[in-house]
Amino acid sequence: MEPAKQKSRTGLILLVFAGLILVAAVSWAAFRGADSEKNTASPAASPLPGQPANLATIEERTRAEPGNPDAWLALGQAQFDAGRFAEAARAYERGTAFAGGRADIWSALGEARVMASADSPMPAAALADFRKAAAIDPKDPRARYFLAVARDLAGDHRGAIGDWFALLQDTPPGAPWEQDLRRTIEQVGKINTIEVAERLAAVKQPAPHPLVPGGSTATAPIPGPNAEQMRTAAALPPHEQDAMVQNMVAGLEAKLQANPGNVDGWIMLMRSRMTLGESARASAALKAAVAANPGDTARLRAEAAALGVR
């Protein structure tokens, strides 16, 4: 794996792990006061949440939960990482049958079709998938990226670069696709003699919102697992890392449903969703957080704005 991609995966694992620790800390602190001798271990020392799943395990999940779009999404991701693009496309297509209103599955399907194509850099079916994703969520980063690719292939190089810059301006620093996006802008600019270096240096990505008092959970440095846990995570194959992250995010969401009063936890969930490129699900998390914590609406919306959540 390229060092930049490994770094972005590691950062994502750190981010979601931090969210789980943050949510778990509330209940852990309550028990610590009652029995300090039995609760001396920090939650940060616990094993990584979410057991890494191999491809066979993920396939078994789709058989056990054939109507669960997340199961098909996980299978598609695993097959995609294994280079089985046509199979990934079939898995994503099954997912759209159960969650046709989710932009992330449509854009993933389009990407798999692009990679599976032997004769076209942008198959018509893939372009249709990206357009569906963008119609559902105009901020879906994968759809925006590939729609700009289609524009570049059609000969509108400046228009494509403009679209990629707009995506970069909405991209949280450290998002998994950030470095690839920057390289794409540089390469297309170089090939077509379009100056982009100054614009890349000047681009402004999402920053802390001025309404957030006393620092921002949305932009704060990320705590995380210890070195041994991170070595374990980094040693996993890419598809198992992806499955682990998905399990961790699902675990974080489940904990918040059980403890909806944890405002910082909701912010970390939004941050995780945006880092994964799931802007619609980040917006859903914001709505759930506001509904559960109406007294913290101003802070939640300010932190969401810092993340680019609408």
Side-chain angles (χ1 to χ4, degrees):
M1 183 185 299
E2 296 177 16
K5 291 186 178 180
Q6 178 60 58
K7 183 178 179 181
S8 66
R9 284 180 184 277
T10 301
L12 183 54
I13 292 169
L14 280 165
L15 170 60
V16 184
F17 187 90
L20 282 158
I21 293 172
L22 190 151
V23 173
V26 173
S27 57
W28 178 78
F31 286 108
R32 181 177 58 180
D35 190 350
S36 59
E37 291 184 1
K38 293 183 180 179
N39 294 283
T40 55
S42 165
S46 60
L48 282 169
Q51 294 299 314
N54 57 30
L55 188 55
T57 302
I58 299 172
E59 289 173 340
E60 177 58 34
R61 183 184 175 196
T62 62
R63 289 190 288 270
E65 306 173 40
N68 183 349
D70 286 321
W72 291 107
L73 182 60
L75 178 59
Q77 288 173 334
Q79 291 172 328
F80 188 96
D81 284 334
R84 294 158 57 172
F85 303 119
E87 293 176 64
R90 287 193 290 272
Y92 289 134
E93 194 165 20
R94 289 292 301 275
T96 64
F98 302 106
R102 278 181 53 178
D104 59 333
I105 296 182
W106 282 110
S107 63
L109 173 57
E111 184 181 22
R113 282 178 165 155
V114 167
M115 296 300 295
S117 175
D119 54 10
S120 172
M122 182 59 68
L127 183 57
D129 293 334
F130 295 131
R131 287 173 174 163
K132 285 181 182 177
I136 295 167
D137 179 9
K139 291 294 184 180
D140 182 271
R142 181 162 38 199
R144 293 172 69 185
Y145 174 83
F146 279 101
L147 287 173
V149 169
R151 196 169 182 176
D152 180 57
L153 291 170
D156 185 3
H157 310 303
R158 290 188 181 276
I161 287 175
D163 289 345
W164 285 319
F165 267 112
L167 173 56
L168 183 59
Q169 288 175 330
D170 290 340
T171 295
W177 64 89
E178 180 187 5
Q179 294 306 314
D180 287 339
L181 177 57
R182 287 180 175 273
R183 279 195 295 270
T184 297
I185 293 171
E186 290 172 348
Q187 291 168 0
V188 174
K190 182 177 181 180
I191 291 169
N192 296 284
T193 321
I194 299 171
E195 175 57 42
V196 298
E198 290 186 7
R199 291 176 68 186
L200 279 170
V203 69
K204 294 185 181 299
Q205 293 175 255
H209 196 282
L211 293 179
V212 180
S216 168
T217 301
T219 56
I222 301 169
N226 59 36
E228 181 179 354
Q229 291 167 333
M230 282 311 303
R231 281 195 297 270
T232 300
L236 295 173
H239 71 272
E240 291 191 8
Q241 290 185 7
D242 290 339
M244 181 177 68
V245 168
Q246 289 292 339
N247 287 340
M248 291 165 74
V249 175
L252 173 56
E253 193 163 35
K255 288 179 182 295
L256 287 166
Q257 289 170 354
N259 177 29
N262 191 319
V263 173
D264 285 323
W266 284 111
I267 297 166
M268 291 299 287
L269 178 61
M270 287 189 284
R271 187 172 174 177
S272 299
R273 291 295 188 197
M274 290 300 287
T275 304
L276 286 166
E278 299 172 350
S279 54
R281 302 184 83 175
S283 297
L286 172 60
K287 291 178 183 177
V290 168
N293 304 277
D296 292 293
T297 297
R299 184 193 170 199
L300 283 163
R301 293 199 180 281
E303 295 266 24
L307 293 166
V309 179
R310 292 171 174 79

